[in-house]
Structures are given as structure tokens and as C-alpha cells.
């Protein structure tokens, strides 16, 4: 449950600060777009941060969190997801995916998630639970975050889950340290205020669009393969053909069976012993939690906070000059052109339109001079 305005005020009074930080606020300046940060947090402009991915990320989060807290039943998730799709499809004002192919893949993967996701084994499930974190040499940066799902597993570990509808490519080995910072901050908060040892805290991303396919190899050993949920059978086609042929099924029949299984994205038409050789599990990305790693994250985020405060201390003209030099608008950057709430706003578009018009007028005035030497001087 989100803290009320009065509760937030009480936290600030307790720790003698005039601001409660959030990781999303820091991320906005450091990783996303400082122009958006200035517009949202300094100029307090009314920006619309809704895009197709924030819409469906919210829908997905709400459904799985309501399941975890038993507000809805397992079988309710698919119906509610389909209702949300219908509402979105019929509202022409809502943002759209870049292509029909992307939409079909996105919805197909989430539909499979809500049909087949696994509920973790544990107790004391909580969702959107507030967590407090204090950073900096003097603990002057006070953060409040909200954990998607928290529970205690069978080994007594406190498990923190962050649900993601993103592509796994954005969680590559190179990108994971930065992606993991928010969860690690929450681990720091659980350690600071609940006194849970770091070794008893587990953090993971639940990558909702993917599944881990646990399958038996021909040598009898088991292996894992991470696949999109809506395509996992077609990605296992060659392995299925091999197993069917060893089962004594001729090649034409085997190909037909695999095609049917791929279209249905399940193995219900396969012999039972072949079905038993494939198991689907949620795809989790585990974040190693150690005291050393968490201390490094704490130091880095504290530095980021100070950088933001230094920027805020500049006057408006200096802020704009700094942004123009360090973060010029890039029309080829997907985030800026599609997801940034400032650069996709009417405010920015009007500003750019006026700037282009001013440049055009200035250029035209140069050529309006009767003295031909103006042109000669320009191109000499």
C-alpha cells in the first residue's frame, strides 16, 4: 500500500529531510532523460507518461499481484487480461504498438503467462509493500520504494520479486548490473530496517514473457532453454521430431504432429512419454545479493543524488545550457521519440516548431538583402 501524504510527511520529519527520493526519480535523470527530469520535477509540467508499455506493464503487475494476495483466483487472470485487451482495442485514444507483429507477440506471451505461471511456494505474501532506504555518508538521502511481491520461502529467505514485461535482451549480462540496482536498494532497505542478513535476502526478476523449458536430452540428461512463452513449442521442433522418430513414428506423421503442436503451442497431441520430457517453469533472473555489492550500489546511488542536487542548484538558463551541451535531442533515439514524456509532449513539439520557424525566418532574412554580396560572402 502506498504511503499517504501524511505518512510521507511524517517520514521526512523523523529523518529531518525535505524530500523523499525514489529510484524512478534518480533513474529519470541518470539513465533516461534529464530534460524529462527538469520538466517533471523542477518545472512541474503536467506531462503524460502513458505509453503502450506502461499501460500493459501496469495491467500485468496488477493481475499477478492480485493473484498473490488472493484478491482474484488463478482462473480469473486470463478473463481479466482479455477484458483489458478488449477495452484497450476499442479505445482509439490509447497508444499503440509499433506494429501488429509486436502486438501479437506481446499479447501472446502474456496470455501464456497468465495461463501457466507458477505461484512460488512460501508464506507471508505481500505486494506493493513500502520499503525505506537511507543512503549517503550522513544517511541524508531517504528513499521510499515499493516491492512488487515479497514473501518468505521454505528456507526462511525473504524473497523480493520484480515483475518485468520487457524483452530479455534488455537484461543481458552487460546491462544487468544497472537493471538490478532498484532491487538491490530494496534489499538494502530490508537489511537496514528489518535487520535481515544479506545472505537471507533473495532478489529476482520474473520475466513474464518468457519461460524456462526444462527438457530431457537424448543422452538422458536434462537441460534448460529460455524461450518466448507463445513460441516455445516451435522452438523445440527439431528436438520433438527426433523424439517422435525414436518413438517409431514415420517422418511425415511426425512433421504433421509437430506442426499441430506448434500452432497450438502445447504438446497435448504428443505421446505421454514425450510430454513428460518437457517441463515449463517461470523464467527468473536471479540477482546475487552480497554486502559488498549492495554497498557499491548504495555509494553509486548516493553519488547520483548529489549530481541531481548540483543540477537543481543551477539557475534555469544554466540548466538549459547544461542540457543542450550534454544531452542534445536525438531524433534517432527510440526512447526520446517514443517513450520520453517530455520529448513526446505537445510542449516540446511546440518549442521545436517555433525554433525551426525562427531558424527559417532568420535564413530568409539573410537572402532578402538587396546586396548580392551577402550571398557571395556566404559561399566564397
Amino acid at each position: 500500500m502506498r504511503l499517504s501524504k501524511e505518512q510521507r510527511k511524517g517520514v521526512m520529519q523523523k529523518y529531518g529531510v525535505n524530500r523523499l527520493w525514489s529510484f524512478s526519480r534518480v533513474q529519470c535523470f541518470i539513465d533516461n532523460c534529464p530534460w524529462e527530469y527538469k520538466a517533471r520535477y523542477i518545472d512541474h509540467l503536467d506531462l503524460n507518461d502513458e505509453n503502450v508499455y506502461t499501460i500493459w506493464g501496469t495491467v500485468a503487475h496488477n493481475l499477478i499481484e492480485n493473484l498473490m494476495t488472493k484478491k482474484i483466483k488463478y482462473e480469473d487472470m486470463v478473463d481479466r487480461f482479455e477484458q483489458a485487451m478488449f477495452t484497450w482495442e476499442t479505445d482509439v485514444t490509447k497508444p499503440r504498438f509499433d506494429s501488429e507483429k509486436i502486438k501479437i507477440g506481446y499479447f501472446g506471451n502474456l496470455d501464456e503467462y497468465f495461463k501457466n505461471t507458477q505461484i512460488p511456494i512460501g508464506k507471508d505474501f505481500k505486494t506493493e509493500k513500502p520499503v525505506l532506504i537511507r543512503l549517503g555518508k550522513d544517511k541524508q538521502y531517504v528513499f521510499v520504494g515499493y516491492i512488487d511481491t515479497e514473501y518468505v520461502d521454505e528456507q526462511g529467505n525473504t524473497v523480493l520479486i520484480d515483475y518485468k514485461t520487457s524483452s530479455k535482451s534488455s537484461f543481458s549480462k552487460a546491462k544487468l548490473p544497472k537493471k538490478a540496482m532498484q532491487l538491490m536498494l530494496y534489499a538494502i532497505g530490508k537489511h537496514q530496517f528489518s535487520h535481515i542478513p544479506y545472505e537471507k535476502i533473495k532478489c529476482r526478476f520474473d520475466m513474464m514473457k518468457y519461460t524456462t523449458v526444462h527438457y530431457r536430452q537424448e543422452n538422458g540428461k536434462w537441460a534448460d532453454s529460455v524461450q518466448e512463452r507463445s513460441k516455445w513449442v516451435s522452438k523445440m521442433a527439431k528436438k520433438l521430431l527426433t523424439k517422435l522418430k525414436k518413438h517409431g513414428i514415420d517422418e511425415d506423421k511426425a512433421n504433421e504432429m509437430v506442426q499441430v503442436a506448434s500452432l497450438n503451442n502445447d504438446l497435448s497431441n504428443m505421446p505421454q512419454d514425450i510430454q513428460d520430457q518437457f517441463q515449463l517453469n517461470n523464467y527468473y533472473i536471479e540477482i546475487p545479493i552480497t554486502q559488498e555489492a549492495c554497498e557499491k550500489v548504495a555509494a553509486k546511488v548516493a553519488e547520483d543524488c548529489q549530481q541531481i542536487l548540483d543540477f537543481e542548484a543551477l539557475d534555469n538558463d544554466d540548466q538549459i545550457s547544461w542540457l543542450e551541451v550534454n544531452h542534445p535531442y536525438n531524433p534517432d533515439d527510440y526512447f526520446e521519440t517514443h517513450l520520453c514524456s517530455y520529448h513526446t509532449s505537445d510542449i516540446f513539439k511546440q518549442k521545436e516548431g517555433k525554433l525551426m520557424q525562427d531558424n527559417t525566418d532568420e535564413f530568409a532574412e539573410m537572402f532578402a538583402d538587396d546586396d548580392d554580396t551577402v550571398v557571395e560572402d556566404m559561399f566564397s
Side-chain angles (χ1 to χ4, degrees):
M1 181 181 294
R2 299 269 164 173
L3 296 182
S4 67
K5 184 177 180 180
E6 287 303 312
Q7 288 172 324
R8 292 175 63 85
K9 184 178 178 181
V11 173
M12 288 189 286
Q13 288 177 343
K14 179 177 180 178
Y15 295 109
V17 296
N18 58 11
R19 171 186 300 178
L20 292 183
W21 293 81
S22 68
F23 183 76
S24 60
R25 179 171 184 154
V26 173
Q27 187 180 45
C28 180
F29 186 90
I30 300 297
D31 297 324
N32 292 346
C33 179
W35 285 98
E36 180 180 25
Y37 184 93
K38 174 174 166 55
R40 181 179 299 281
Y41 295 106
I42 299 176
D43 300 335
H44 303 292
L45 301 181
D46 185 16
L47 300 178
N48 179 15
D49 60 358
E50 185 179 71
N51 61 63
V52 70
Y53 296 105
T54 59
I55 290 173
W56 287 104
T58 299
V59 170
H61 276 72
N62 289 342
L63 283 175
I64 190 62
E65 288 172 5
N66 284 338
L67 174 70
M68 292 296 182
T69 53
K70 299 183 179 180
K71 293 179 181 178
I72 62 174
K73 296 179 181 178
Y74 194 102
E75 55 270 22
D76 293 336
M77 285 195 299
V78 173
D79 288 341
R80 296 199 179 201
F81 179 62
E82 291 176 350
Q83 290 171 12
M85 282 196 291
F86 176 79
T87 300
W88 174 80
E89 287 278 15
T90 55
D91 187 346
V92 296
T93 67
K94 292 297 183 182
R96 267 22 192 183
F97 290 95
D98 290 339
S99 70
E100 189 70 11
K101 181 180 179 181
I102 293 174
K103 183 189 82 170
I104 291 172
Y106 192 94
F107 285 161
N109 288 324
L110 287 183
D111 182 64
E112 290 290 330
Y113 178 87
F114 293 126
K115 288 177 180 176
N116 301 293
T117 189
Q118 295 157 320
I119 302 175
I121 298 173
K123 62 181 181 180
D124 299 333
F125 282 84
K126 300 178 181 67
T127 63
E128 290 295 311
K129 183 178 179 181
V131 57
L132 201 65
I133 310 106
R134 297 184 67 193
L135 306 177
K137 183 179 179 181
D138 299 316
K139 305 298 183 188
Q140 68 270 37
Y141 307 117
V142 180
F143 278 72
V144 172
Y146 298 89
I147 303 168
D148 286 351
T149 291
E150 174 186 335
Y151 70 97
V152 178
D153 68 14
E154 293 180 299
Q155 289 74 44
N157 300 305
T158 295
V159 183
L160 313 181
I161 299 179
D162 193 1
Y163 300 103
K164 293 296 182 184
T165 56
S166 316
S167 297
K168 64 184 178 70
S169 59
S170 59
F171 287 76
S172 65
K173 185 177 181 180
K175 297 176 182 178
L176 188 57
K178 182 171 286 188
K179 293 287 186 180
M181 290 177 73
Q182 184 173 11
L183 268 177
M184 295 180 76
L185 279 184
Y186 295 167
I188 293 169
K190 299 303 293 185
H191 176 75
Q192 286 180 339
F193 290 93
S194 299
H195 308 293
I196 302 173
Y198 282 117
E199 60 268 21
K200 296 297 290 182
I201 301 174
K202 306 296 180 185
C203 292
R204 61 178 59 123
F205 293 113
D206 184 342
M207 305 298 291
M208 302 174 81
K209 296 196 304 181
Y210 300 89
T211 184
T212 299
V213 184
H214 191 55
Y215 65 95
R216 195 173 74 186
Q217 302 175 94
E218 297 313 304
N219 60 10
K221 296 181 179 179
W222 289 78
D224 291 333
S225 178
V226 177
Q227 301 294 343
E228 288 187 55
R229 284 184 176 269
S230 63
K231 299 178 181 179
W232 81 267
V233 174
S234 63
K235 295 298 183 180
M236 297 287 114
K238 290 183 178 180
K239 293 177 174 59
L240 287 167
L241 282 172
T242 299
K243 293 180 184 299
L244 288 169
K245 290 176 184 178
K246 287 193 173 183
H247 203 269
I249 298 174
D250 67 75
E251 185 172 350
D252 289 341
K253 180 63 176 176
N255 280 319
E256 180 184 333
M257 292 177 69
V258 170
Q259 288 176 7
V260 170
S262 296
L263 286 171
N264 295 328
N265 199 44
D266 68 46
L267 304 182
S268 58
N269 67 326
M270 297 283 167
Q272 188 60 50
D273 66 323
I274 291 181
Q275 293 184 43
D276 293 342
Q277 295 180 49
F278 292 85
Q279 300 171 7
L280 299 185
N281 299 301
N282 285 13
Y283 173 46
Y284 295 117
I285 297 179
E286 303 287 344
I287 309 301
I289 299 298
T290 65
Q291 181 172 343
E292 180 182 7
C294 287
E295 287 175 352
K296 287 181 179 179
V297 167
K300 173 63 170 65
V301 177
E303 290 176 4
D304 293 340
C305 291
Q306 187 57 55
Q307 183 180 344
I308 291 171
L309 291 176
D310 290 343
F311 174 78
E312 292 180 357
L314 301 174
D315 64 31
N316 183 69
D317 290 342
D318 286 343
Q319 287 176 355
I320 292 175
S321 297
W322 186 89
L323 290 170
E324 288 176 342
V325 170
N326 293 283
H327 295 275
Y329 175 62
N330 181 4
D332 297 321
D333 183 273
Y334 186 86
F335 179 86
E336 293 190 17
T337 57
H338 290 75
L339 306 179
C340 174
S341 62
Y342 172 68
H343 286 114
T344 58
S345 69
D346 290 338
I347 297 169
F348 173 72
K349 292 174 184 177
Q350 291 168 4
K351 174 185 171 184
E352 283 294 288
K354 185 177 184 305
L355 181 62
M356 291 176 65
Q357 184 62 49
D358 289 346
N359 289 339
T360 301
D361 292 345
E362 182 181 350
F363 192 68
E365 288 174 5
M366 293 174 63
F367 283 92
D369 198 310
D370 291 334
D371 189 350
D372 290 340
T373 58
V374 172
V375 177
E376 294 173 0
D377 289 345
M378 283 183 62
F379 294 99
S380 62

